[in-house]
Amino acid sequence: MSSLQALCSGLPLWPLPENRGRQAGVPHAPVRTPRLSPAEEQLALRNALRYFPPDLQELLAPEFAEELRLYGHIYMYRFCPSIEMRAYPVEQYPCRTRAAAAIMHMIMNNLDPAVAQFPQELVTYGGNGQVFGNWAQFWLTMSYLSQMTEEQTLVMYSGHPLGLFPSSPGAPRLVITNGMVIPNYSSRTEYDKLFAMGVTMYGQMTAGSYCYIGPQGIVHGTVLTVLNAGRRYLGTEDLAGKVFVTSGLGGMSGAQAKAAVIVGCIGVIAEVDRAALMKRHKQGWLMEVADSLDHCIQRLREARRRKEVLSLGYHGNVVDLWERLVHELDTTGELLVDLGSDQTSCHNPFNGGYYPVQLGFTEAQSLLASNPAAFKALVQESLRRQVSAINRLAKENFFFWDYGNAFLLEAQRAGADVEKKGARKTEFRYPSYVQHIMGDIFSQGFGPFRWVCTSGDPQDLAVTDQLAVSVLEAAIAGGVNPAVRLQYVDNIRWIREAARHQLVVGSQARILYSDQKGRVAIAVAFNQAIASGKIKAPVVLSRDHHDVSGTDSPFRETSNIYDGSAFCADMAVQNFVGDAFRGATWVALHNGGGVGWGEAINGGFGLVLDGTQEAEQKAKMMLTWDVSNGVARRCWSGNQKAYEIICQTMQENNGLVVTLPHEVADEHVLQQALQS
């Protein structure tokens, strides 16, 4: 067993660790088929070997070449650490700065087997969301962080630590970019080759920026989504006896089962991978498992009749489940589902993110490795069948939405019937959840604010929960408009439910959806509690990049931007740069995230609160920008709620000056001008 001291001492070369290969009994990433030419294979091998001195290359070269042939990528399994991978209390890391120790805490949490989807392949979630491209990069990064001073910045190029460079105490300690490929070459085919050659990496959103907090993050988002879907589509706050059908129990989608229980409905979640399904069941996030459709439908009917609160995992393909629900409707006249979505990793449909209904899980994995073209054809047929079943159910009192995983986009590309006549490019027959459910929440400045207690002590997390609730209650008492008040009330309910439902997986972390005023007030309260000793160690603030300002993604985060700028990425880039010079401890900018490679640009941050006055000032400055950037952008796109929020923010903050958009001339004036 390695120690943290050994982990920070650089690549273990003399002696080399034993090559234990792929570990049995843990999930592994699907085999990749990048179709490299002989010259590209040689380049991939050369790029891997450059981490090692010449006298070791003859030994390592055949080993790395075999990994490339067998798995489509060089992960360097020999160098997978033997230490128990988890978020250790921050004071245990041998570092010269608190910021560096906090970053190490976050990195190791992302690779904790209880958190990570494919830990040996350094994948945190989403099927391909990498923390690093190989294990050499992990060792070098930890070594650099242990050496870092307050006058240095570590630069990360798509998983590769470029080095420590002189900077200033006020600068970020870490700057990360992932997948910054020239736009004309940012295709999936090119990505597969570039990743195989070891020169770029898909960081998803929070995997490659070290800010993932386990599935709790998306539990909260799903709670808010399903609650507001009930309000919008079903006209009710009470979801007892209502049925929500979806798919996926992996790194992110695994949250859906717990969210269904928290909102009080019946959640039925299909999952083809039994290991993923049983992991959620063992963690207590999934109440029951059904191995057959007959049992699944029987249990669903029973729970519906009794208005039970239930999360039921169906071990099988979601297409079979949707088609069985159609069969029940057509033969009995009974509609057994009220709300539906999909959370497979459909941003990565042809590399294990979505499995075809025609084959079992193991057969499909074999076909993916041996005949990718045949696998793709079956996936697209499966998508068409899934949409056909959903379309039939939607003729009744059933409502479906796209959960931002590129499901409808990939279904459209497969030829499925998802067209919406006369619609914009970002619209389909069914709405994105941002368009109908979460968009107004973002426009009011509310988004997935997060924090991690680096002491690793649950008591510190309990203190932060109490502080966050008190801040939100004080805001309500001070008077807010009804729409904002509703969000505060939902989040107070969430914090109380989160503690009761034991949502921590990995680091002692929490999430809530808060606006700019709430985020700043909570950060200040935390920092003061650290200064007074009520919280024992620094707290890391971050957010999902899926936020008000963090991401430009025309089929998700910016799908409700209708001024033509949904495909522009200025907001995410400005967010990344602006956070950097306003006090963020680290910043990250990624290609892709959630909806797939080449489909989005997203930016994220980490901010370490250590109880100092400097940390408080940074939090006030940075968090204000991090939210108001996106609210202002939405205001300019014509969103009335964003307009109201930015006007209010300008009144409260004398340093904020925005030229507000004028009301656009009516249709008659526009038509006359164009005709003339």
Side-chain angles (χ1 to χ4, degrees):
M1 177 69 71
S2 300
S3 65
L4 288 175
Q5 189 73 44
L7 209 60
C8 296
S9 60
L11 270 167
L13 302 177
W14 295 282
L16 283 173
E18 177 190 358
N19 183 14
R20 301 184 304 276
R22 275 195 170 197
Q23 182 182 340
V26 299
H28 289 287
V31 172
R32 295 177 172 275
T33 52
R35 306 297 186 194
L36 299 182
S37 68
E40 288 167 337
E41 288 179 342
Q42 191 174 96
L43 191 56
L45 195 56
R46 183 185 297 275
N47 289 341
L49 289 172
R50 61 186 170 178
Y51 289 101
F52 303 93
D55 57 346
L56 294 176
Q57 292 178 6
E58 187 175 353
L59 171 66
L60 294 174
E63 184 177 303
F64 291 168
E66 183 180 30
E67 286 187 17
L68 186 61
R69 282 193 299 270
L70 291 177
Y71 311 120
H73 186 75
I74 301 170
Y75 296 105
M76 306 183 186
Y77 290 114
R78 178 190 287 271
F79 296 95
C80 183
S82 59
I83 192 172
E84 180 188 354
M85 191 69 72
R86 62 182 176 86
Y88 289 84
V90 71
E91 71 274 4
Q92 294 183 22
Y93 291 97
C95 293
R96 301 169 71 180
T97 72
R98 284 173 290 194
I103 294 167
M104 285 184 175
H105 180 92
M106 302 291 282
I107 287 173
M108 293 189 73
N109 184 66
N110 271 27
L111 293 169
D112 181 341
V115 174
Q117 185 180 15
F118 305 127
Q120 272 207 298
E121 288 77 42
L122 305 110
V123 172
T124 299
Y125 65 89
N128 60 350
Q130 303 285 148
V131 186
F132 300 101
N134 59 55
W135 284 106
Q137 294 173 351
F138 167 82
W139 285 92
L140 290 173
T141 299
M142 297 296 277
S143 176
Y144 280 132
L145 288 169
S146 70
Q147 301 172 51
M148 177 190 288
T149 71
E150 294 285 358
E151 295 186 338
Q152 291 175 311
T153 293
L154 175 59
V155 176
M156 301 293 300
Y157 276 20
S158 290
H160 169 70
L162 196 66
L164 292 170
F165 293 83
S167 59
S168 67
R173 299 279 70 82
L174 175 66
V175 176
I176 303 167
T177 52
N178 283 313
M180 290 292 105
V181 174
I182 304 301
N184 278 355
Y185 304 92
S186 189
S187 68
R188 283 181 181 158
T189 304
E190 287 293 334
Y191 169 72
D192 288 341
K193 290 197 170 193
L194 293 170
F195 179 64
M197 288 190 290
V199 294
T200 198
M201 189 183 86
Y202 186 71
Q204 268 281 356
M205 290 189 157
T206 51
S209 60
Y210 321 143
C211 290
Y212 188 61
I213 61 167
Q216 177 190 170
I218 198 172
V219 172
H220 185 29
T222 307
V223 164
L224 292 179
T225 300
V226 178
L227 273 177
N228 285 287
R231 290 165 179 158
R232 180 180 181 109
Y233 299 130
L234 305 178
T236 182
E237 296 269 345
D238 182 8
L239 293 176
K242 302 299 182 184
V243 178
F244 172 50
V245 171
T246 182
S247 55
L249 285 167
M252 293 285 277
S253 55
Q256 297 180 108
K258 179 60 79 173
V261 172
I262 291 173
V263 302
C265 72
I266 300 158
V268 183
I269 307 97
E271 172 57 64
V272 294
D273 184 354
R274 187 168 185 81
L277 183 144
M278 296 313 295
K279 178 178 180 178
R280 297 302 171 210
H281 186 52
K282 184 179 179 181
Q283 288 173 339
W285 289 47
L286 184 65
M287 293 167 65
E288 296 181 20
V289 173
D291 284 315
S292 73
L293 273 174
D294 288 343
H295 178 206
C296 182
I297 296 299
Q298 177 190 347
R299 189 68 186 92
L300 167 56
R301 273 202 169 95
E302 186 179 81
R304 193 163 170 261
R305 185 175 65 253
R306 296 176 178 173
K307 292 191 174 182
E308 287 182 60
V309 176
L310 174 67
S311 58
L312 176 63
Y314 165 58
H315 179 217
N317 197 292
V318 73
V319 180
D320 285 328
L321 178 57
W322 284 120
E323 291 180 342
R324 177 62 179 267
L325 290 167
V326 169
H327 173 77
E328 295 297 324
L329 174 63
D330 289 342
T331 57
T332 70
E334 189 176 12
L335 179 67
L336 295 175
V337 57
D338 302 283
L339 300 170
S341 191
D342 185 278
Q343 230 180 70
T344 55
S345 295
C346 215
H347 69 278
N348 183 36
F350 312 125
N351 283 292
Y354 180 100
Y355 280 88
V357 66
Q358 303 90 336
L359 301 174
F361 182 57
T362 305
E363 291 175 292
Q365 285 188 313
S366 297
L367 184 65
L368 171 58
S370 64
N371 192 341
F375 181 86
K376 179 178 179 179
L378 291 180
V379 163
Q380 293 189 317
E381 180 190 335
S382 192
L383 285 166
R384 292 192 294 270
R385 283 175 55 179
Q386 182 169 343
V387 167
S388 178
I390 290 166
N391 288 348
R392 169 66 187 95
L393 295 166
K395 291 178 181 178
E396 312 299 326
N397 195 34
F398 161 72
F399 301 92
F400 183 88
W401 67 86
D402 184 292
Y403 215 152
N405 62 338
F407 171 71
L408 290 181
L409 180 62
E410 288 302 333
Q412 180 192 56
R413 289 168 176 169
D417 182 13
V418 294
E419 181 186 357
K420 179 182 178 182
K421 289 186 171 63
R424 299 175 176 90
K425 286 172 68 176
T426 58
E427 293 180 293
F428 299 101
R429 176 189 289 243
Y430 305 104
S432 155
Y433 75 120
V434 173
Q435 289 171 318
H436 267 199
I437 302 169
M438 299 302 289
D440 282 349
I441 294 174
F442 284 168
S443 296
Q444 293 174 85
F446 284 85
F449 182 56
R450 298 174 172 183
W451 61 88
V452 175
C453 298
T454 64
S455 65
D457 187 343
Q459 184 55 39
D460 273 359
L461 185 61
V463 172
T464 62
D465 282 349
Q466 293 162 9
L467 289 171
V469 168
S470 67
V471 165
L472 298 184
E473 288 177 336
I476 292 172
V480 291
N481 74 49
V484 170
R485 185 182 186 281
L486 178 63
Q487 296 307 316
Y488 281 158
V489 169
D490 280 350
N491 279 281
I492 290 169
R493 170 184 171 181
W494 156 258
I495 287 287
R496 289 174 174 153
E497 288 288 325
R500 187 168 70 85
H501 282 273
Q502 300 178 338
L503 292 172
V504 169
V505 177
S507 59
Q508 294 295 317
R510 187 68 78 223
I511 178 175
L512 64 77
Y513 268 56
S514 184
D515 57 356
Q516 174 255 321
K517 185 186 294 185
R519 296 186 206 201
V520 171
I522 290 169
V524 170
F526 288 176
N527 199 58
Q528 291 173 354
I530 295 166
S532 68
K534 290 180 182 177
I535 298 173
K536 294 181 285 297
V539 170
V540 173
L541 302 183
S542 71
R543 55 163 168 73
D544 193 340
H545 305 197
H546 167 62
D547 195 8
V548 182
S549 306
T551 300
D552 288 294
S553 178
F555 296 99
R556 195 164 82 176
E557 284 79 4
T558 48
S559 61
N560 66 333
I561 299 288
Y562 298 127
D563 67 351
S565 69
F567 291 87
C568 300
D570 301 79
M571 181 176 71
V573 176
Q574 289 282 359
N575 191 255
F576 162 80
V577 175
D579 284 354
F581 64 72
R582 287 181 174 88
T585 308
W586 73 93
V587 288
L589 186 68
H590 301 175
N591 174 2
V595 292
W597 182 262
E599 303 285 357
I601 297 292
N602 70 81
F605 77 87
L607 175 64
V608 177
L609 298 176
D610 60 7
T612 62
Q613 188 60 37
E614 291 82 2
E616 181 173 318
Q617 290 305 313
K618 287 179 177 180
K620 289 177 178 177
M621 182 75 70
M622 199 220 78
L623 292 172
T624 297
W625 162 252
D626 194 66
V627 176
S628 60
N629 171 35
V631 175
R633 191 263 178 97
R634 285 170 164 77
C635 165
W636 267 93
S637 75
N639 187 290
Q640 184 61 33
K641 283 194 167 79
Y643 182 91
E644 293 166 4
I645 293 295
I646 203 72
C647 287
Q648 180 184 344
T649 308
M650 286 169 65
Q651 291 174 354
E652 296 170 350
N653 187 342
N654 292 330
L656 176 63
V657 180
V658 176
T659 303
L660 297 170
H662 294 290
E663 188 174 347
V664 178
D666 64 35
E667 287 293 325
H668 177 69
V669 173
L670 296 175
Q671 287 173 7
Q672 269 198 330
L674 291 170
Q675 287 169 1
S676 66

mmCIF file of all heavy atoms in Angstrom, residues 67 141 185 258 283 405 432 494 554 668:
data_model
loop_
_atom_site.group_PDB
_atom_site.id
_atom_site.type_symbol
_atom_site.label_atom_id
_atom_site.label_comp_id
_atom_site.label_asym_id
_atom_site.label_seq_id
_atom_site.Cartn_x
_atom_site.Cartn_y
_atom_site.Cartn_z
ATOM 1 N N GLU A 67 -1.598 -2.720 -24.684
ATOM 2 C CA GLU A 67 -2.769 -1.980 -24.200
ATOM 3 C C GLU A 67 -3.469 -1.264 -25.355
ATOM 4 O O GLU A 67 -4.705 -1.262 -25.437
ATOM 5 C CB GLU A 67 -2.355 -0.963 -23.134
ATOM 6 C CG GLU A 67 -2.015 -1.577 -21.796
ATOM 7 C CD GLU A 67 -1.776 -0.516 -20.713
ATOM 8 O OE1 GLU A 67 -2.186 0.657 -20.919
ATOM 9 O OE2 GLU A 67 -1.192 -0.851 -19.673
ATOM 10 N N THR A 141 1.149 15.029 -11.793
ATOM 11 C CA THR A 141 0.315 16.118 -11.276
ATOM 12 C C THR A 141 0.389 16.182 -9.752
ATOM 13 O O THR A 141 0.532 17.260 -9.167
ATOM 14 C CB THR A 141 -1.148 15.935 -11.732
ATOM 15 O OG1 THR A 141 -1.197 15.963 -13.162
ATOM 16 C CG2 THR A 141 -2.041 17.028 -11.172
ATOM 17 N N TYR A 185 -11.750 20.351 -36.783
ATOM 18 C CA TYR A 185 -11.262 18.986 -36.532
ATOM 19 C C TYR A 185 -11.861 18.402 -35.255
ATOM 20 O O TYR A 185 -11.417 17.372 -34.773
ATOM 21 C CB TYR A 185 -9.729 18.995 -36.462
ATOM 22 C CG TYR A 185 -9.125 19.588 -37.705
ATOM 23 C CD1 TYR A 185 -8.827 20.947 -37.763
ATOM 24 C CD2 TYR A 185 -8.937 18.813 -38.844
ATOM 25 C CE1 TYR A 185 -8.317 21.510 -38.926
ATOM 26 C CE2 TYR A 185 -8.431 19.377 -40.012
ATOM 27 C CZ TYR A 185 -8.132 20.722 -40.048
ATOM 28 O OH TYR A 185 -7.643 21.273 -41.198
ATOM 29 N N LYS A 258 -32.771 7.887 -6.484
ATOM 30 C CA LYS A 258 -32.878 8.600 -5.214
ATOM 31 C C LYS A 258 -33.748 9.847 -5.358
ATOM 32 O O LYS A 258 -34.542 10.182 -4.473
ATOM 33 C CB LYS A 258 -31.482 8.975 -4.711
ATOM 34 C CG LYS A 258 -31.464 9.734 -3.400
ATOM 35 C CD LYS A 258 -32.087 8.952 -2.256
ATOM 36 C CE LYS A 258 -31.149 7.915 -1.683
ATOM 37 N NZ LYS A 258 -31.729 7.295 -0.459
ATOM 38 N N GLN A 283 -25.754 0.734 -2.449
ATOM 39 C CA GLN A 283 -25.583 2.036 -1.802
ATOM 40 C C GLN A 283 -26.876 2.536 -1.162
ATOM 41 O O GLN A 283 -26.866 3.537 -0.443
ATOM 42 C CB GLN A 283 -25.098 3.073 -2.823
ATOM 43 C CG GLN A 283 -23.657 2.877 -3.255
ATOM 44 C CD GLN A 283 -23.254 3.820 -4.385
ATOM 45 O OE1 GLN A 283 -24.101 4.350 -5.102
ATOM 46 N NE2 GLN A 283 -21.960 4.035 -4.547
ATOM 47 N N ASN A 405 -28.856 14.842 -22.590
ATOM 48 C CA ASN A 405 -27.817 13.851 -22.866
ATOM 49 C C ASN A 405 -27.658 13.609 -24.360
ATOM 50 O O ASN A 405 -27.057 12.617 -24.769
ATOM 51 C CB ASN A 405 -28.157 12.530 -22.163
ATOM 52 C CG ASN A 405 -29.470 11.929 -22.657
ATOM 53 O OD1 ASN A 405 -30.307 12.632 -23.199
ATOM 54 N ND2 ASN A 405 -29.649 10.634 -22.468
ATOM 55 N N SER A 432 -36.254 20.204 -24.594
ATOM 56 C CA SER A 432 -35.150 20.019 -23.655
ATOM 57 C C SER A 432 -35.652 20.455 -22.285
ATOM 58 O O SER A 432 -36.469 21.368 -22.166
ATOM 59 C CB SER A 432 -33.964 20.884 -24.075
ATOM 60 O OG SER A 432 -33.145 21.190 -22.966
ATOM 61 N N TRP A 494 -34.656 20.726 0.084
ATOM 62 C CA TRP A 494 -33.622 19.820 -0.425
ATOM 63 C C TRP A 494 -32.533 19.565 0.614
ATOM 64 O O TRP A 494 -32.133 18.424 0.857
ATOM 65 C CB TRP A 494 -33.001 20.387 -1.696
ATOM 66 C CG TRP A 494 -31.621 19.853 -1.946
ATOM 67 C CD1 TRP A 494 -30.437 20.475 -1.720
ATOM 68 C CD2 TRP A 494 -31.286 18.551 -2.427
ATOM 69 N NE1 TRP A 494 -29.377 19.661 -2.031
ATOM 70 C CE2 TRP A 494 -29.880 18.464 -2.464
ATOM 71 C CE3 TRP A 494 -32.029 17.438 -2.825
ATOM 72 C CZ2 TRP A 494 -29.205 17.328 -2.893
ATOM 73 C CZ3 TRP A 494 -31.353 16.306 -3.250
ATOM 74 C CH2 TRP A 494 -29.962 16.251 -3.278
ATOM 75 N N PRO A 554 -25.977 24.414 -27.366
ATOM 76 C CA PRO A 554 -27.239 24.785 -28.022
ATOM 77 C C PRO A 554 -28.377 23.793 -27.846
ATOM 78 O O PRO A 554 -29.539 24.155 -28.040
ATOM 79 C CB PRO A 554 -26.845 24.910 -29.498
ATOM 80 C CG PRO A 554 -25.579 24.135 -29.640
ATOM 81 C CD PRO A 554 -24.875 24.281 -28.331
ATOM 82 N N HIS A 668 -44.880 43.667 -37.520
ATOM 83 C CA HIS A 668 -45.306 44.435 -38.689
ATOM 84 C C HIS A 668 -44.175 45.325 -39.198
ATOM 85 O O HIS A 668 -43.902 45.399 -40.403
ATOM 86 C CB HIS A 668 -46.540 45.281 -38.339
ATOM 87 C CG HIS A 668 -47.008 46.155 -39.469
ATOM 88 N ND1 HIS A 668 -47.588 45.644 -40.622
ATOM 89 C CD2 HIS A 668 -46.954 47.508 -39.624
ATOM 90 C CE1 HIS A 668 -47.889 46.641 -41.442
ATOM 91 N NE2 HIS A 668 -47.516 47.784 -40.851
#
